[in-house]
Amino acid sequence: MNSDVQIAGDPLAIPHLLPPVPAHPATVAGFAGLARSLAADRAAWAPLVRYDATTRWYHRLRTGPGYEVWLLSWVPGQGSGRHDHGASSGVLTVLEGELTERTDDGPRPLTAGAQRVFAPGYVHEVVNDALTPAVSLHIYFPGLTNMPMHPGQITDSGAATAPPGILAS
């Protein structure tokens, strides 16, 4: 008796029968998976990391059709300020250290390996409240073209505070 492979041949040997390999992830889960695979390749990103005490350091690690990947470092006390990512969705992955994400729902500690995904318009602040530096990987899709800042800051209780002078009469 012949097997299907003996009768039809090996489908892997006939490239036109295979589904096309996508040029980039097509789902949030796919982008989260891309972030995990990039995070696992420490030899590719670790030599690039720099720390700057005066400003957050960042480096565009990769671009693809409709997305971009950024590597960021955070020394203790550095933060992003309260912002959103315009029309972009994203995946934030902590590679080393610990960061805190602050939203209207309160603070969320993010340790190495933690991931957060967000949709366009999601407002948050990311800070390094720890005593050691941190490194994170950010994927934006579509690529980041706008990062509106939002006045005030988010407190540990999750409440947004107005900057000085905004509420003064």
Side-chain angles (χ1 to χ4, degrees):
M1 177 159 263
N2 292 329
S3 72
D4 290 342
V5 171
Q6 288 172 323
I7 295 169
D10 183 356
L12 297 178
I14 308 170
H16 69 278
L17 294 178
L18 297 175
V21 176
H24 61 81
T27 64
V28 172
F31 281 107
L34 173 62
R36 282 191 300 275
S37 68
L38 293 171
D41 189 6
R42 182 178 172 75
W45 59 262
L48 302 172
V49 175
R50 303 290 179 265
Y51 297 99
D52 186 333
T54 60
T55 186
R56 281 183 305 130
W57 173 90
Y58 51 90
H59 171 76
R60 188 177 355 207
L61 192 60
R62 175 192 287 189
T63 60
Y67 74 96
E68 57 187 10
V69 180
W70 291 88
L71 187 63
L72 282 76
S73 71
W74 311 73
V75 298
Q78 285 181 336
S80 64
R82 192 168 180 239
H83 67 281
D84 70 59
H85 301 92
S88 298
S89 294
V91 177
L92 178 161
T93 304
V94 179
L95 303 177
E96 288 182 350
E98 182 176 336
L99 296 170
T100 302
E101 180 189 40
R102 295 183 182 142
T103 67
D104 290 340
D105 294 329
R108 175 180 282 117
L110 304 172
T111 57
Q115 281 191 315
R116 296 287 296 143
V117 297
F118 49 86
Y122 177 74
V123 177
H124 69 159
E125 178 179 24
V126 179
V127 296
N128 181 351
D129 287 330
L131 298 175
T132 57
V135 179
S136 58
L137 181 88
H138 303 246
I139 300 179
Y140 301 107
F141 48 97
L144 191 62
T145 59
N146 189 19
M147 195 172 106
M149 300 304 290
H150 294 261
Q153 64 184 33
I154 301 171
T155 66
D156 284 341
S157 68
T161 62
I166 294 291
L167 300 178
S169 42

